Amino acid sequence: MSDSRLWDDVDAYFTARLAPEDDHLTAALRGSEAAGLPPVNVTAAQGKLLQLLAEIQGARTVLEIGTLGGYSTIWLARALPADGRLITLEYSAARRVSARRNSPRAHALVDVRGPPWVPAQAARDPPPFDLVFIDADKGNNPHYLEWALRLTSTGSLIVIDNVVRGGRVADAGDTGDDVRGTRAAIEMIGSHPRLSGTAVQTVGGKGYDGFALARVVD
Ligand code: DHB
Ligand code: MG
């Protein structure tokens, strides 16, 4: 059994018992696939982690940067109270259409928006967001983290997906946009006076990856 097969089997075991997908999530995945979106959604176990983090946070307002087909959006929306609000930002118009189609039940809480993003966002929806999930183009991670800082307040949680980049994040000589953007975000978390964070490496259905977590502090 190769390592990745082992990870897949353990992920399937955990997912079946802890984060089983219901029809709504399954339909969102099928819809994303049918729309030809890249299959880079969070896994079910990761989606449940996002839901739990938002619940632990007592989040009433969530900002997601990078909607894709809205799969992670559904998990995050499940953490919210009936009067909660989730704004999810997606650059691609086609992906916004898919996400709106994929998340009809979460729709009352979810607002899928395209550009222009943050300035209009800040004007229309006063911060703070209780949780920000950054999962878009990785080269812009430091910019999204700056936005997140402007749109949150003390106690808010910022989560960044895909910070491992296949291990390349640790290679200072790697000049890929994704690696440079992710390294800049990690270094900002480490050095910013208003951020306290860490990063966890993960294995599972999506292979080897990881999340960065940062709490906004005084
Ligand atoms: C990619 C993007 C993601 O958000 C992800 O979770 C995995 C991979 C990518 O663009 O390669
Ligand atoms: Mg991702």
Side-chain angles (χ1 to χ4, degrees):
M1 187 185 279
S2 75
D3 281 350
S4 62
R5 176 74 209 287
L6 187 62
W7 300 336
D8 286 345
D9 289 350
V10 173
D11 212 12
Y13 168 80
F14 286 151
T15 299
R17 284 153 189 84
L18 303 173
E21 275 172 348
D22 57 15
D23 291 348
H24 189 202
L25 288 160
T26 305
L29 280 188
R30 283 218 201 89
S32 296
E33 199 181 332
L37 301 187
V40 296
N41 313 279
V42 296
T43 63
Q46 291 173 341
K48 183 70 180 287
L49 173 66
L50 293 173
Q51 178 185 332
L52 285 166
L53 288 170
E55 286 169 352
I56 292 163
Q57 190 64 11
R60 307 183 69 78
T61 51
V62 171
L63 174 65
E64 179 178 57
I65 302 176
T67 314
L68 191 61
Y71 180 80
S72 50
T73 316
I74 296 170
W75 284 106
L76 285 164
R78 289 184 176 177
L80 292 176
D83 62 347
R85 190 101 192 280
L86 193 162
I87 294 174
T88 182
L89 306 178
E90 174 53 56
Y91 186 82
S92 151
R95 292 179 180 188
R96 291 198 297 276
V97 169
S98 289
R100 289 189 185 111
R101 194 183 301 130
N102 287 338
S103 60
R105 275 205 263 160
H107 204 72
L109 303 181
V110 173
D111 184 355
V112 184
R113 289 192 190 167
W117 282 1
V118 157
Q121 169 75 47
R124 274 183 294 182
D125 296 279
F129 287 98
D130 301 313
L131 188 150
V132 179
F133 179 48
I134 299 174
D135 189 19
D137 50 315
K138 313 308 173 190
N140 276 318
N141 273 338
H143 302 124
Y144 298 144
L145 184 53
E146 271 159 22
W147 293 2
L149 265 168
R150 282 171 46 197
L151 297 169
T152 52
S153 63
T154 302
S156 296
L157 178 66
I158 301 166
V159 181
I160 309 179
D161 196 20
N162 313 119
V163 296
V164 169
R165 315 312 305 155
R168 291 181 296 122
V169 72
D171 179 357
D174 193 303
T175 57
D177 270 1
D178 62 333
V179 169
R180 286 197 292 188
T182 301
R183 287 176 67 89
I186 294 290
E187 283 152 34
M188 188 171 154
I189 293 171
S191 60
H192 198 286
R194 296 208 58 224
L195 290 172
S196 169
T198 190
V200 285
Q201 301 179 65
T202 58
V203 291
K206 279 177 76 179
Y208 172 46
D209 211 330
F211 293 101
L213 304 172
R215 183 170 164 82
V216 180
V217 295
D218 258 336

